[in-house]
Amino acid sequence: MWTELRDELARELARAIQERFAVTHQPVVEVPPRRELGDLATPAPMQLARTLKRNPRAIADELAAALRPPRLVREVKVLGAGYLNLFLDRPAFAAALLAPGAAAAPALPPDAAGRHGKVIVEHTNINPNKAAHVGHLRNAVLGDVLAGCLGRLGYPVEVQNYIDDTGVQLADVVVGFLDLRRATLAEVAALPEPFDFLCWDLYAEVRRWYDADADAQLERRQLVRDTLHQLETGRGERAEMGRLVARRIVRRHLATMRRLGISYDLLTRESDILALHFFDRAFQRLKDSGAVRHETTGKNAGCWVMPLGHGDEFAGMEDPDKVIVRSDGTVTYVGKDIAYQLWKFGLLGQDFAYVYWQEAGVWQTAPEAAEAAEGGARHPPFGGAYRVINVIDARQSYLQKIVRAGLEALGHTAEAERSVHFAYEMVALSAETARQLGYRPEAPAGEAAADGDKVLEMSGRKGIGVKADDLMDRLEAKSRDEIAKRNRELADAELDVLSREIAVAALRFFMVKATTNRVIAFDFDEVLSFEGESGPYLQYSLVRARNIQRRLREAGLPDEVTAASVAELAAGHFGDDLWDLILEVAQIPELVERAVAALELSLVARQALDVAQRFNTFFVRHPILKEKDPAVRAARLVTLQIFRRGLEDLAKLLGIPIPERM
């Protein structure tokens, strides 16, 4: 509603300017810095003064007289050197906010809302070789919130999770089972859960094993190359072991993400990209276009490389050529990703078969020979996106640039521009958390940080990190203890539900609240804090609002005000502190739009926190239950209703569940 009001006002201003001054001008409508300056304002008279060569205040007076303001505008004033300031009808505006559909998203522009409007968001993408850790959770939570915000704005969204089941990390675990542990397929299949925890330790162990015996290093490294070859061809004992390990690990990853309310529309398996020869098709196009060349000399002899030195993004690099196919014929990650990106945009001319994984409740890709309708379900249309957003950490920026360069080299310039890398910085362990886990923190590379600033980068190869499920278990246990202290009468089943909801809120908010260009220093004490700038604080605020309405009912007083009756209240009943909260809620859809455009989701978290803090301040200053004047109480209750609707909307976008009690 807020965006529509601003747009309507801008159109009316443009009309009045054209009719009164015979000038075409697109006015800017903005929010003034201080409440006494109104609710909306435009500097159009001062901008027109240069064109009309007249006094801006005189122009403003004439424009104010010619303006036919929208019905929610109560008064138009000329202030300062020539600003046109508008004051809203507070009761009418509050009533409009309470009306059904008032919180709807702004209308999308035609190019986004039409048949090419689908946005594919790819996120999570954990190697299927070990348990998920807290660093993976930042990726998954950011991707999930982004998908929710896009959906909130009206975009059709498809969420994909890429499963790298032919990569070196999985190969290491296969070597660990077959060559280090000497385990059979049957023995690995029979290993108990949590299987991903077991593989966490095995992965670190096999990495040490490679270097433990200098005489055996070459032989052991050859085992990895042999395993990679079998994973890519899909044939042999090592490939069979890889499929078993990957499926068990992915099942565990999906269960971990479900704990946080994260789900996917499609799991895309790298092995299917290879089995269906997606890369072969893309590679032939790259060769035909001259985008890649075969090296016969130098360090890349025998490789197919993409020369990138001519591009502005790669200028000045010492070695701008990127290997796409290694000399042994294996394909690099970026080569497969170019083929995958072409498919996402519907540019490959080929599609997967699909199978529904009943146990996991998700569709996944399959080779053509696979049964494509398991369980009798028909798959939705996948791929064919208008825009693709890949949520990948900032360290992968170079590779994402190469993917875009590959699309451009094939003539798909528009799609390259709509290939978006949603980059974020990594999650490290704070000094205190590292010490708690028995690790030694270190200063960031190139920095001489003070002891309190030292962090420890997580490393799956070294087994350093905090497993996501371990963290969730600790959060739930802490939540349960806190709830039990306050609500001793609760049954175990209700305690379990509440502790899960609070743990999810704590972790998800922690992962979103920091700006994406900032490394998160993961700290147990900070995440486990349920006060201050935290997800549980948002939950507490909503539970508090709900309890106020409950106590009103118990006192025999109205617990809601209808939109029709709000308009009957006097403007004076909505003081500035109430009005500020109402306006902040009204601007939520516009803020979500800005957050998506900037790919800065911390704006959503910050807005939720600001709204909650403003409400709690309002409640202390303006109690509702004790207010004797029915009209004053109604205005405060209206404000509470608008707050609750707004914060519930933000909580939904952030994936924060709303508990029955705290």
Short mmCIF file of all heavy atoms in Angstrom, two decimals, residues 118-123 125 158 160 162 268 278 333 337-348 350 352 382-392 400 403 415 419-420:
data_model
loop_
_atom_site.label_atom_id
_atom_site.label_comp_id
_atom_site.label_asym_id
_atom_site.label_seq_id
_atom_site.Cartn_x
_atom_site.Cartn_y
_atom_site.Cartn_z
N LYS A 118 10.28 -16.50 -13.93
CA LYS A 118 10.77 -17.43 -12.92
C LYS A 118 12.20 -17.10 -12.49
O LYS A 118 13.06 -16.80 -13.31
CB LYS A 118 10.75 -18.87 -13.44
CG LYS A 118 11.25 -19.89 -12.40
CD LYS A 118 11.64 -21.23 -13.00
CE LYS A 118 10.46 -22.06 -13.36
NZ LYS A 118 10.86 -23.44 -13.76
N VAL A 119 12.41 -17.17 -11.18
CA VAL A 119 13.75 -16.99 -10.63
C VAL A 119 14.20 -18.31 -10.01
O VAL A 119 13.49 -18.86 -9.16
CB VAL A 119 13.78 -15.88 -9.55
CG1 VAL A 119 15.20 -15.70 -9.03
CG2 VAL A 119 13.25 -14.57 -10.11
N ILE A 120 15.33 -18.81 -10.44
CA ILE A 120 15.92 -20.00 -9.81
C ILE A 120 16.92 -19.53 -8.76
O ILE A 120 17.81 -18.73 -9.05
CB ILE A 120 16.62 -20.90 -10.84
CG1 ILE A 120 15.57 -21.63 -11.70
CG2 ILE A 120 17.52 -21.93 -10.14
CD1 ILE A 120 16.17 -22.52 -12.77
N VAL A 121 16.73 -20.00 -7.54
CA VAL A 121 17.67 -19.72 -6.46
C VAL A 121 18.36 -21.04 -6.11
O VAL A 121 17.70 -22.00 -5.69
CB VAL A 121 16.97 -19.14 -5.22
CG1 VAL A 121 17.97 -18.94 -4.09
CG2 VAL A 121 16.26 -17.83 -5.57
N GLU A 122 19.65 -21.09 -6.33
CA GLU A 122 20.42 -22.29 -5.99
C GLU A 122 21.18 -22.02 -4.69
O GLU A 122 21.93 -21.04 -4.60
CB GLU A 122 21.41 -22.62 -7.10
CG GLU A 122 22.28 -23.84 -6.80
CD GLU A 122 23.53 -23.90 -7.68
OE1 GLU A 122 23.53 -23.30 -8.78
OE2 GLU A 122 24.52 -24.54 -7.25
N HIS A 123 20.96 -22.85 -3.70
CA HIS A 123 21.69 -22.65 -2.45
C HIS A 123 21.93 -23.97 -1.73
O HIS A 123 21.49 -25.02 -2.17
CB HIS A 123 20.95 -21.66 -1.54
CG HIS A 123 19.64 -22.13 -0.97
ND1 HIS A 123 19.56 -22.99 0.10
CD2 HIS A 123 18.36 -21.83 -1.30
CE1 HIS A 123 18.29 -23.20 0.41
NE2 HIS A 123 17.54 -22.52 -0.44
N ASN A 125 24.10 -26.59 -1.36
CA ASN A 125 25.21 -27.16 -2.15
C ASN A 125 26.35 -27.70 -1.29
O ASN A 125 27.52 -27.42 -1.53
CB ASN A 125 25.79 -26.10 -3.10
CG ASN A 125 24.74 -25.48 -4.00
OD1 ASN A 125 23.59 -25.91 -4.01
ND2 ASN A 125 25.12 -24.47 -4.75
N GLU A 158 11.95 -21.04 -7.96
CA GLU A 158 12.31 -22.46 -7.93
C GLU A 158 13.62 -22.59 -7.16
O GLU A 158 14.61 -21.95 -7.52
CB GLU A 158 12.47 -22.99 -9.35
CG GLU A 158 12.85 -24.46 -9.45
CD GLU A 158 12.93 -24.90 -10.90
OE1 GLU A 158 11.93 -24.67 -11.64
OE2 GLU A 158 13.97 -25.42 -11.32
N GLN A 160 16.77 -24.74 -5.92
CA GLN A 160 17.55 -25.93 -6.27
C GLN A 160 18.73 -26.09 -5.33
O GLN A 160 19.30 -25.11 -4.83
CB GLN A 160 18.06 -25.82 -7.72
CG GLN A 160 16.95 -25.76 -8.75
CD GLN A 160 17.47 -25.79 -10.17
OE1 GLN A 160 18.66 -25.98 -10.42
NE2 GLN A 160 16.58 -25.58 -11.13
N TYR A 162 22.31 -28.13 -5.44
CA TYR A 162 23.22 -28.87 -6.32
C TYR A 162 24.00 -29.88 -5.50
O TYR A 162 24.64 -29.55 -4.50
CB TYR A 162 24.18 -27.88 -6.99
CG TYR A 162 25.07 -28.47 -8.05
CD1 TYR A 162 24.59 -28.69 -9.33
CD2 TYR A 162 26.40 -28.77 -7.78
CE1 TYR A 162 25.41 -29.18 -10.32
CE2 TYR A 162 27.23 -29.27 -8.76
CZ TYR A 162 26.74 -29.48 -10.03
OH TYR A 162 27.56 -29.99 -11.01
N THR A 268 19.65 -31.25 -7.83
CA THR A 268 20.31 -31.47 -9.12
C THR A 268 21.62 -32.21 -8.88
O THR A 268 22.51 -31.68 -8.21
CB THR A 268 20.61 -30.14 -9.83
OG1 THR A 268 19.43 -29.34 -9.83
CG2 THR A 268 21.05 -30.38 -11.25
N PHE A 278 25.41 -33.43 -20.64
CA PHE A 278 25.15 -31.99 -20.70
C PHE A 278 26.43 -31.23 -21.00
O PHE A 278 26.45 -30.31 -21.82
CB PHE A 278 24.59 -31.50 -19.36
CG PHE A 278 23.12 -31.72 -19.18
CD1 PHE A 278 22.42 -32.63 -19.95
CD2 PHE A 278 22.42 -31.01 -18.22
CE1 PHE A 278 21.06 -32.84 -19.77
CE2 PHE A 278 21.06 -31.19 -18.03
CZ PHE A 278 20.38 -32.11 -18.81
N TYR A 333 35.14 -28.20 -12.11
CA TYR A 333 33.86 -27.73 -11.56
C TYR A 333 33.22 -26.68 -12.46
O TYR A 333 32.03 -26.74 -12.77
CB TYR A 333 34.09 -27.16 -10.16
CG TYR A 333 33.00 -26.22 -9.68
CD1 TYR A 333 31.80 -26.71 -9.17
CD2 TYR A 333 33.16 -24.84 -9.78
CE1 TYR A 333 30.79 -25.85 -8.77
CE2 TYR A 333 32.16 -23.97 -9.38
CZ TYR A 333 30.98 -24.49 -8.86
OH TYR A 333 29.99 -23.63 -8.47
N ASP A 337 29.58 -26.41 -14.37
CA ASP A 337 28.66 -25.37 -13.95
C ASP A 337 28.19 -24.53 -15.13
O ASP A 337 27.07 -23.99 -15.11
CB ASP A 337 29.30 -24.49 -12.89
CG ASP A 337 28.27 -23.93 -11.92
OD1 ASP A 337 27.34 -24.68 -11.55
OD2 ASP A 337 28.38 -22.76 -11.54
N ILE A 338 29.02 -24.36 -16.15
CA ILE A 338 28.57 -23.65 -17.35
C ILE A 338 27.43 -24.41 -18.00
O ILE A 338 26.40 -23.82 -18.39
CB ILE A 338 29.75 -23.45 -18.33
CG1 ILE A 338 30.75 -22.44 -17.77
CG2 ILE A 338 29.23 -22.98 -19.69
CD1 ILE A 338 32.02 -22.31 -18.58
N ALA A 339 27.57 -25.73 -18.10
CA ALA A 339 26.50 -26.55 -18.67
C ALA A 339 25.23 -26.45 -17.82
O ALA A 339 24.12 -26.33 -18.34
CB ALA A 339 26.96 -27.99 -18.78
N TYR A 340 25.40 -26.49 -16.52
CA TYR A 340 24.27 -26.40 -15.60
C TYR A 340 23.57 -25.05 -15.74
O TYR A 340 22.33 -24.96 -15.75
CB TYR A 340 24.80 -26.61 -14.17
CG TYR A 340 23.78 -26.58 -13.06
CD1 TYR A 340 22.46 -26.97 -13.24
CD2 TYR A 340 24.17 -26.17 -11.78
CE1 TYR A 340 21.56 -26.96 -12.19
CE2 TYR A 340 23.28 -26.16 -10.73
CZ TYR A 340 21.97 -26.55 -10.93
OH TYR A 340 21.09 -26.54 -9.89
N GLN A 341 24.35 -23.97 -15.87
CA GLN A 341 23.76 -22.64 -16.00
C GLN A 341 22.99 -22.51 -17.31
O GLN A 341 21.92 -21.89 -17.35
CB GLN A 341 24.87 -21.58 -15.91
CG GLN A 341 24.37 -20.17 -15.62
CD GLN A 341 24.08 -19.97 -14.15
OE1 GLN A 341 23.99 -20.91 -13.37
NE2 GLN A 341 23.91 -18.72 -13.75
N LEU A 342 23.50 -23.09 -18.37
CA LEU A 342 22.77 -23.10 -19.63
C LEU A 342 21.43 -23.80 -19.47
O LEU A 342 20.40 -23.33 -19.97
CB LEU A 342 23.60 -23.78 -20.72
CG LEU A 342 24.80 -23.01 -21.27
CD1 LEU A 342 25.69 -23.92 -22.11
CD2 LEU A 342 24.33 -21.81 -22.10
N TRP A 343 21.43 -24.94 -18.76
CA TRP A 343 20.18 -25.66 -18.55
C TRP A 343 19.21 -24.83 -17.71
O TRP A 343 18.00 -24.80 -18.00
CB TRP A 343 20.45 -27.00 -17.84
CG TRP A 343 19.16 -27.65 -17.44
CD1 TRP A 343 18.32 -28.39 -18.21
CD2 TRP A 343 18.55 -27.56 -16.15
NE1 TRP A 343 17.22 -28.77 -17.49
CE2 TRP A 343 17.34 -28.27 -16.21
CE3 TRP A 343 18.90 -26.95 -14.94
CZ2 TRP A 343 16.47 -28.39 -15.13
CZ3 TRP A 343 18.05 -27.06 -13.86
CH2 TRP A 343 16.86 -27.78 -13.95
N LYS A 344 19.70 -24.16 -16.69
CA LYS A 344 18.81 -23.36 -15.83
C LYS A 344 18.05 -22.33 -16.65
O LYS A 344 16.87 -22.05 -16.37
CB LYS A 344 19.62 -22.65 -14.75
CG LYS A 344 20.15 -23.53 -13.64
CD LYS A 344 20.96 -22.66 -12.67
CE LYS A 344 21.67 -23.45 -11.61
NZ LYS A 344 22.55 -22.61 -10.79
N PHE A 345 18.70 -21.75 -17.65
CA PHE A 345 18.05 -20.74 -18.47
C PHE A 345 17.25 -21.35 -19.63
O PHE A 345 16.66 -20.62 -20.42
CB PHE A 345 19.09 -19.77 -19.03
CG PHE A 345 19.52 -18.71 -18.07
CD1 PHE A 345 20.80 -18.71 -17.54
CD2 PHE A 345 18.64 -17.70 -17.69
CE1 PHE A 345 21.20 -17.72 -16.65
CE2 PHE A 345 19.05 -16.71 -16.81
CZ PHE A 345 20.32 -16.72 -16.28
N GLY A 346 17.26 -22.68 -19.75
CA GLY A 346 16.56 -23.31 -20.86
C GLY A 346 17.29 -23.15 -22.18
O GLY A 346 16.66 -23.17 -23.24
N LEU A 347 18.62 -23.02 -22.13
CA LEU A 347 19.41 -22.76 -23.33
C LEU A 347 20.17 -23.99 -23.82
O LEU A 347 20.86 -23.91 -24.85
CB LEU A 347 20.43 -21.64 -23.05
CG LEU A 347 19.85 -20.29 -22.64
CD1 LEU A 347 20.97 -19.34 -22.20
CD2 LEU A 347 19.05 -19.67 -23.79
N LEU A 348 20.07 -25.10 -23.12
CA LEU A 348 20.89 -26.26 -23.47
C LEU A 348 20.25 -27.11 -24.56
O LEU A 348 20.94 -27.84 -25.26
CB LEU A 348 21.15 -27.10 -22.22
CG LEU A 348 22.23 -28.17 -22.32
CD1 LEU A 348 23.60 -27.53 -22.56
CD2 LEU A 348 22.27 -29.02 -21.06
N GLN A 350 18.22 -29.57 -23.92
CA GLN A 350 18.16 -30.91 -23.38
C GLN A 350 17.68 -30.81 -21.94
O GLN A 350 17.85 -29.79 -21.28
CB GLN A 350 19.55 -31.56 -23.43
CG GLN A 350 19.59 -33.04 -23.06
CD GLN A 350 21.00 -33.62 -23.19
OE1 GLN A 350 21.90 -32.94 -23.67
NE2 GLN A 350 21.18 -34.84 -22.76
N PHE A 352 16.73 -33.08 -18.05
CA PHE A 352 16.87 -34.27 -17.21
C PHE A 352 15.59 -35.10 -17.28
O PHE A 352 14.53 -34.61 -17.69
CB PHE A 352 17.06 -33.87 -15.74
CG PHE A 352 18.31 -33.10 -15.44
CD1 PHE A 352 18.26 -31.72 -15.28
CD2 PHE A 352 19.53 -33.74 -15.27
CE1 PHE A 352 19.40 -30.99 -14.95
CE2 PHE A 352 20.68 -33.02 -14.95
CZ PHE A 352 20.60 -31.64 -14.80
N PHE A 382 10.79 -27.82 -14.51
CA PHE A 382 12.00 -27.30 -13.89
C PHE A 382 12.86 -26.57 -14.92
O PHE A 382 12.81 -26.87 -16.12
CB PHE A 382 12.81 -28.43 -13.25
CG PHE A 382 12.14 -29.09 -12.09
CD1 PHE A 382 11.79 -30.43 -12.12
CD2 PHE A 382 11.86 -28.37 -10.93
CE1 PHE A 382 11.17 -31.04 -11.04
CE2 PHE A 382 11.25 -28.97 -9.85
CZ PHE A 382 10.90 -30.31 -9.90
N GLY A 383 13.69 -25.66 -14.44
CA GLY A 383 14.57 -24.91 -15.33
C GLY A 383 13.80 -23.85 -16.10
O GLY A 383 12.68 -23.47 -15.77
N GLY A 384 14.42 -23.33 -17.16
CA GLY A 384 13.78 -22.32 -17.98
C GLY A 384 13.57 -21.01 -17.25
O GLY A 384 12.52 -20.38 -17.37
N ALA A 385 14.57 -20.56 -16.49
CA ALA A 385 14.43 -19.37 -15.66
C ALA A 385 14.65 -18.09 -16.46
O ALA A 385 15.33 -18.08 -17.48
CB ALA A 385 15.41 -19.41 -14.50
N TYR A 386 14.05 -17.01 -15.96
CA TYR A 386 14.35 -15.67 -16.48
C TYR A 386 15.60 -15.12 -15.80
O TYR A 386 16.38 -14.41 -16.42
CB TYR A 386 13.16 -14.75 -16.21
CG TYR A 386 13.41 -13.31 -16.60
CD1 TYR A 386 13.30 -12.91 -17.93
CD2 TYR A 386 13.73 -12.35 -15.65
CE1 TYR A 386 13.52 -11.58 -18.30
CE2 TYR A 386 13.95 -11.03 -16.01
CZ TYR A 386 13.85 -10.65 -17.32
OH TYR A 386 14.07 -9.35 -17.68
N ARG A 387 15.78 -15.48 -14.53
CA ARG A 387 16.91 -14.99 -13.74
C ARG A 387 17.41 -16.13 -12.87
O ARG A 387 16.61 -16.94 -12.38
CB ARG A 387 16.46 -13.82 -12.88
CG ARG A 387 17.56 -13.08 -12.12
CD ARG A 387 16.93 -11.97 -11.29
NE ARG A 387 17.91 -11.18 -10.57
CZ ARG A 387 17.65 -10.50 -9.47
NH1 ARG A 387 16.44 -10.51 -8.95
NH2 ARG A 387 18.58 -9.80 -8.87
N VAL A 388 18.71 -16.21 -12.68
CA VAL A 388 19.31 -17.26 -11.85
C VAL A 388 20.19 -16.59 -10.79
O VAL A 388 21.04 -15.76 -11.11
CB VAL A 388 20.16 -18.24 -12.69
CG1 VAL A 388 20.89 -19.23 -11.78
CG2 VAL A 388 19.29 -18.97 -13.69
N ILE A 389 19.95 -16.96 -9.53
CA ILE A 389 20.75 -16.44 -8.43
C ILE A 389 21.44 -17.60 -7.75
O ILE A 389 20.78 -18.50 -7.21
CB ILE A 389 19.87 -15.67 -7.42
CG1 ILE A 389 19.11 -14.55 -8.12
CG2 ILE A 389 20.74 -15.11 -6.29
CD1 ILE A 389 18.16 -13.79 -7.21
N ASN A 390 22.75 -17.61 -7.79
CA ASN A 390 23.55 -18.66 -7.16
C ASN A 390 24.10 -18.14 -5.84
O ASN A 390 24.88 -17.19 -5.81
CB ASN A 390 24.71 -19.08 -8.07
CG ASN A 390 24.22 -19.69 -9.38
OD1 ASN A 390 23.20 -20.37 -9.42
ND2 ASN A 390 24.93 -19.44 -10.46
N VAL A 391 23.68 -18.77 -4.75
CA VAL A 391 24.14 -18.38 -3.42
C VAL A 391 25.40 -19.17 -3.11
O VAL A 391 25.34 -20.36 -2.80
CB VAL A 391 23.06 -18.64 -2.36
CG1 VAL A 391 23.50 -18.10 -1.00
CG2 VAL A 391 21.74 -18.00 -2.77
N ILE A 392 26.54 -18.50 -3.23
CA ILE A 392 27.84 -19.16 -3.06
C ILE A 392 28.76 -18.17 -2.37
O ILE A 392 28.71 -16.96 -2.65
CB ILE A 392 28.45 -19.59 -4.42
CG1 ILE A 392 27.45 -20.45 -5.21
CG2 ILE A 392 29.74 -20.35 -4.22
CD1 ILE A 392 27.93 -20.83 -6.60
N GLN A 400 32.42 -17.84 -10.50
CA GLN A 400 31.12 -17.38 -10.97
C GLN A 400 31.27 -16.41 -12.14
O GLN A 400 30.45 -16.38 -13.06
CB GLN A 400 30.36 -16.72 -9.83
CG GLN A 400 29.82 -17.71 -8.80
CD GLN A 400 28.79 -18.65 -9.38
OE1 GLN A 400 27.73 -18.22 -9.84
NE2 GLN A 400 29.09 -19.93 -9.38
N VAL A 403 31.70 -18.50 -15.22
CA VAL A 403 30.42 -19.04 -15.70
C VAL A 403 29.71 -17.99 -16.55
O VAL A 403 29.20 -18.29 -17.64
CB VAL A 403 29.54 -19.47 -14.51
CG1 VAL A 403 28.13 -19.83 -15.00
CG2 VAL A 403 30.16 -20.67 -13.80
N GLU A 415 21.32 -13.33 -20.71
CA GLU A 415 21.29 -14.32 -19.63
C GLU A 415 22.51 -14.17 -18.72
O GLU A 415 22.42 -14.40 -17.51
CB GLU A 415 21.21 -15.73 -20.20
CG GLU A 415 19.85 -16.09 -20.77
CD GLU A 415 19.63 -15.53 -22.16
OE1 GLU A 415 20.59 -14.96 -22.76
OE2 GLU A 415 18.50 -15.63 -22.68
N SER A 419 22.57 -13.62 -14.66
CA SER A 419 23.22 -14.63 -13.81
C SER A 419 23.83 -13.90 -12.63
O SER A 419 24.80 -13.17 -12.77
CB SER A 419 24.31 -15.37 -14.59
OG SER A 419 23.76 -16.14 -15.63
N VAL A 420 23.27 -14.11 -11.47
CA VAL A 420 23.64 -13.31 -10.30
C VAL A 420 24.35 -14.18 -9.28
O VAL A 420 23.86 -15.26 -8.92
CB VAL A 420 22.38 -12.68 -9.66
CG1 VAL A 420 22.77 -11.84 -8.44
CG2 VAL A 420 21.63 -11.84 -10.68
#
